[in-house]
Amino acid sequence: MKKKLIELLENSIRTCSEKGILEIGELPFIEVEIPREESHGDYSCTASMVLASSQGRNPRKIAEQIVENIHDSNNMLAKIEIAGPGFINFFIEKSMWFALLKEVDEMGDRYGGSNLGKGKKVQVEFVSANPTGPLHIGHARGAVIGDVVANILESTGYSVFREYYINDAGTQMDVLGRSVLLRYLELLGKEIDFSPECYQGEYVKELAGEIFKEYGDEYLAKGEKDAMKVFTDYAVNSILYGIKEDLNTFGVVFDCYFSEKELYKDDGVTKLLAELQEKGFIYEEGNALWFKTTDFGDEKDRVVVRENGEPTYFAADIAYHRDKYSRGFDTVIDIWGADHHGYIPRMYAGIHALGKEKEALKIILVQLVSLLRAGKPVSMSTRGGEFVTLREVVDEVGRDAARYNFLMRRSDSHLDFDLELAKEQSNENPVYYVQYAHARISSIMRLAHERDYNIPGFGDIDLKFLTLPEEITLTKEIARFPEVVEGSARVLEPHRLTFYLNELASLFHSYYNKNRVISDDPGLSMARLFLVKSIRTVLKNALRLLGVSAPERM
RNA sequence: GGGCGAUUAGCUCAGUUGGAUAGAGCGCUGGUCUCCGGAACCAGAGGCCGCGGGUUCAAGUCCCGCAUCGCCUACCA
């Protein structure tokens, strides 16, 4: 609807320009929005005021000219008003709104999707937690946001690839292996010095126990070097297996787990460094190699090869991103914890050096989560190893409530996650509010069936029965859904969907309370059944994007 | 010290990229139920959009300064 309107406006302005009424070169971007106030119409346009300054003329006059030259061949407009300083307010013909329901009926499960990103390949890299311990609650938020961003992009026509980057190289791996080895020795009665640098969690002891079960005390005698390799590999594999399993139960599935080791295997990092050196981005100082990230707006230059000859994590990361682009992705989306925000300019410097535009990389920052229980903070210190794992949270509050709660805020704002609230099956828990609307409609459908109604399609109903203002409001809200999906795809903000869902559910509950869907009047009942069915389609499609179930019964 | 971000109702937060009289949920006050699922609905109270300047037809939104809070500031990953 919005698109059609913009088209009309563009044509009108073009006509004005041809007639010499307006002097414009390029067609300006025309903004059409839904006004807050209903009396201001269904849509409102501000173009005349934007044009006024460049034309040096009264915006109301310009608005008049634009309105005069609108050629509404489909009679979609009931009324056009010029208001205030120069707003052009459009009132859409009621029948046009209801006609949109045809699209819902035809598209069904696909309603809400579009081809915005057709032909574009996007990679979303998320979670990417180090395989040094199980996923905790902090990772869960990033996991859901990444997953849903990917879903949204997919439904708007992008070809999407989900990837998890495994940091399985570097010193932390040694620390992990050593931690497990020490616990193993401890298990066998040795005195150990378990330094605070080591991973403290209970799972380290469990890993040591598993190894003991399998190999007995065989590594007591063997050299540390042999033991370290076996212990490290065992630990990483085992932890990674657990991570994948946890993500799976959370509904998060990746196309690829990319190992950092791969980058070193075929000399990716070395080649990259040579390339950067050739392009003149590298200099030597204090026996280390530095990348001139300040050329790209970073606050200081960064080391890529240390004094001891080892490349840094940053060097590997640039190589990793080069690898991503070489795989043909037009856009790469990284989802990071907000504590990494200082890393952003560096990464952009990296991709600039690779010859990529800024648009080729998008970074979503996810703020940390404060875990609460009935309003009281739950301790989450990683140092002591007593964090709350993703699995524990999902087990306790369920997948739907957990996912939905992580999507209720902008990703870059703090989130309080209250275990008791998330579990509660009450009006304090928005996920049930939305799911309830879906279950309620399903229940109406069941009753309709009992009363021998066929569930109507668009062709089976007479639109004249839909006369109530709230029926138009509901239809408009349904019609807005594809715009909401597109909008959240454009700015990568999944939380817009939960807000939308809340509004739609609220409108439905209100309608339901005031009006009967199934009545003695067959024509009216059919029309309303169809409207309500359309709402259910949208609820279901939106919930599917969020990875939350849409239950028929609750 | 420098950098990044935040500051909107009692609380937790939205605010469609600069639009008309700033919204939602919770909480609070008062109501609705013979009826398709009360996990629901309706009404009301509640605001100096942190403070001060600026930009323009128009600022919660953009720019500058200040205050408070958080994060970053490794030849760790």
Side-chain angles (χ1 to χ4, degrees):
Chain A
M1 186 70 76
K2 192 170 166 181
K3 280 179 188 160
K4 289 180 195 164
L5 193 56
I6 290 175
E7 215 171 288
L8 286 183
L9 281 161
E10 278 175 354
N11 287 335
S12 163
I13 291 175
R14 210 172 286 132
T15 313
C16 289
S17 175
E18 279 161 15
K19 285 184 183 172
I21 301 166
L22 292 174
E23 287 171 36
I24 33 175
E26 294 264 314
L27 204 57
F29 175 70
I30 297 171
E31 199 168 345
V32 170
E33 54 195 20
I34 301 172
R36 266 196 290 266
E37 191 72 33
E38 221 167 289
S39 65
H40 294 147
D42 297 311
Y43 290 101
S44 178
C45 174
T46 59
S48 57
M49 289 175 287
V50 177
L51 285 169
S53 54
S54 70
Q55 303 290 310
R57 290 169 53 190
N58 183 332
R60 284 193 72 111
K61 281 268 154 55
I62 295 176
E64 280 170 29
Q65 304 282 11
I66 293 175
V67 170
E68 227 165 80
N69 285 288
I70 286 178
H71 185 60
D72 180 21
S73 52
N74 292 329
N75 293 321
M76 66 182 266
L77 299 173
K79 195 167 57 164
I80 306 176
E81 278 178 4
I82 298 169
F87 293 98
I88 309 175
N89 294 337
F90 298 94
F91 295 79
I92 306 290
E93 195 66 55
K94 278 182 195 170
S95 59
M96 292 299 289
W97 285 117
F98 291 123
L100 288 175
L101 292 176
K102 188 179 176 196
E103 200 181 318
V104 184
D105 193 36
E106 284 170 356
M107 294 186 72
D109 287 350
R110 289 177 297 116
Y111 181 69
S114 65
N115 52 12
L116 178 72
K118 202 176 173 195
K120 286 189 190 136
K121 278 185 77 180
V122 179
Q123 186 217 40
V124 186
E125 182 222 316
F126 58 114
V127 188
S128 299
N130 295 347
T132 54
L135 295 178
H136 57 76
I137 182 81
H139 299 122
R141 192 178 183 192
V144 177
I145 287 171
D147 189 41
V148 176
V149 163
N151 287 345
I152 290 169
L153 290 174
E154 238 159 23
S155 85
T156 45
Y158 291 89
S159 156
V160 180
F161 195 82
R162 298 145 202 258
E163 188 157 311
Y164 184 121
Y165 182 48
I166 311 166
N167 300 130
D168 52 5
T171 53
Q172 54 178 349
M173 288 298 103
D174 294 334
V175 176
L176 177 66
R178 186 165 312 281
S179 303
V180 179
L181 179 58
L182 285 170
R183 288 300 189 203
Y184 173 81
L185 295 174
E186 182 184 49
L187 200 63
L188 295 170
K190 292 273 179 189
E191 281 278 320
I192 58 159
D193 179 20
F194 203 75
S195 81
E197 312 294 309
C198 291
Y199 293 103
Q200 305 289 316
E202 215 39 50
Y203 64 92
V204 178
K205 289 182 189 169
E206 286 166 19
L207 286 169
E210 285 173 30
I211 292 177
F212 174 71
K213 237 182 225 165
E214 203 164 331
Y215 300 100
D217 61 359
E218 147 180 0
Y219 286 98
L220 201 55
K222 288 196 183 170
E224 189 185 291
K225 216 176 177 183
D226 289 337
M228 275 292 283
K229 181 163 173 20
V230 172
F231 278 58
T232 307
D233 286 352
Y234 187 94
V236 170
N237 288 334
S238 170
I239 288 171
L240 213 50
Y241 181 80
I243 286 176
K244 287 178 189 177
E245 227 178 29
D246 288 356
L247 287 170
N248 227 19
T249 57
F250 203 34
V252 179
V253 179
F254 286 90
D255 295 304
C256 170
Y257 284 79
F258 188 98
S259 164
E260 186 183 354
K261 280 187 198 152
E262 293 295 318
L263 293 171
Y264 293 98
K265 240 181 218 169
D266 48 0
D267 281 334
V269 179
T270 323
K271 282 181 196 158
L272 168 89
L273 289 168
E275 187 183 320
L276 292 181
Q277 204 140 21
E278 205 175 300
K279 287 183 180 168
F281 295 118
I282 305 287
Y283 64 91
E284 191 175 335
E285 191 183 299
N287 286 326
L289 293 184
W290 296 71
F291 179 1
K292 276 192 272 184
T293 54
T294 46
D295 283 359
F296 304 97
D298 200 1
E299 36 175 322
K300 54 176 281 199
D301 292 337
R302 309 290 171 174
V303 171
V304 280
V305 177
R306 292 190 278 261
E307 215 172 332
N308 65 9
E310 293 278 322
T312 59
Y313 174 82
F314 177 44
D317 216 6
I318 304 172
Y320 176 42
H321 280 76
R322 190 181 65 158
D323 184 272
K324 291 182 182 188
Y325 291 118
S326 76
R327 282 185 269 158
F329 297 113
D330 301 298
T331 306
V332 159
I333 299 172
D334 289 357
I335 296 179
W336 295 350
D339 51 339
H340 287 68
H341 73 255
Y343 200 78
I344 294 176
R346 214 175 306 180
M347 202 62 246
Y348 273 110
I351 69 146
H352 273 120
L354 295 173
K356 286 287 166 186
E357 295 297 315
K358 205 178 170 213
E359 287 70 35
L361 174 66
K362 288 178 179 168
I363 298 169
I364 301 179
L365 288 183
V366 178
Q367 272 292 351
L368 299 180
V369 178
S370 317
L371 195 65
L372 307 175
R373 185 177 288 286
K376 284 182 191 151
V378 176
S379 154
M380 283 211 299
S381 82
T382 333
R383 217 179 349 165
E386 37 170 298
F387 44 75
V388 177
T389 64
L390 165 63
R391 167 146 313 247
E392 284 165 350
V393 172
V394 176
D395 284 349
E396 182 169 346
V397 311
R399 174 172 142 179
D400 286 346
R403 288 185 68 116
Y404 202 91
N405 270 277
F406 284 125
L407 294 165
M408 290 194 318
R409 307 259 177 279
R410 300 176 57 98
S411 60
D412 58 357
S413 77
H414 284 277
L415 174 72
D416 287 338
F417 189 99
D418 194 307
L419 288 164
E420 293 303 323
L421 270 184
K423 231 182 349 183
E424 208 167 306
Q425 304 194 359
S426 75
N427 53 4
E428 293 196 37
N429 198 343
V431 65
Y432 291 106
Y433 184 75
V434 174
Q435 288 181 319
Y436 183 53
H438 185 272
R440 232 179 186 179
I441 297 172
S442 301
S443 168
I444 296 171
M445 296 301 174
R446 285 192 294 272
L447 184 80
H449 199 72
E450 277 170 34
R451 304 249 174 111
D452 290 329
Y453 278 107
N454 288 321
I455 304 304
F458 186 76
D460 305 322
I461 63 160
D462 192 338
L463 288 174
K464 75 169 192 238
F465 288 106
L466 298 177
T467 52
L468 299 171
E470 53 264 42
E471 285 164 345
I472 292 173
T473 309
L474 269 167
T475 305
K476 282 193 209 169
E477 191 71 1
I478 291 170
R480 197 164 71 90
F481 179 53
E483 290 164 27
V484 173
V485 179
E486 267 199 35
S488 61
R490 206 168 260 132
V491 293
L492 305 175
E493 290 182 354
H495 75 278
R496 292 188 182 200
L497 283 172
T498 53
F499 279 88
Y500 170 78
L501 271 173
N502 206 43
E503 273 168 48
L504 180 62
S506 165
L507 287 173
F508 165 71
H509 284 309
S510 175
Y511 176 68
Y512 173 91
N513 255 275
K514 209 167 143 193
N515 308 288
R516 287 193 64 83
V517 174
I518 300 171
S519 62
D520 298 334
D521 182 339
L524 181 65
S525 299
M526 287 291 268
R528 289 186 173 174
L529 273 171
F530 177 72
L531 175 64
V532 155
K533 187 182 91 168
S534 303
I535 297 168
R536 188 175 68 163
T537 301
V538 176
L539 289 172
K540 196 172 165 189
N541 291 356
L543 285 170
R544 182 166 8 87
L545 287 177
L546 303 183
V548 174
S549 69
E552 307 262 319
R553 289 190 170 83
M554 293 172 70

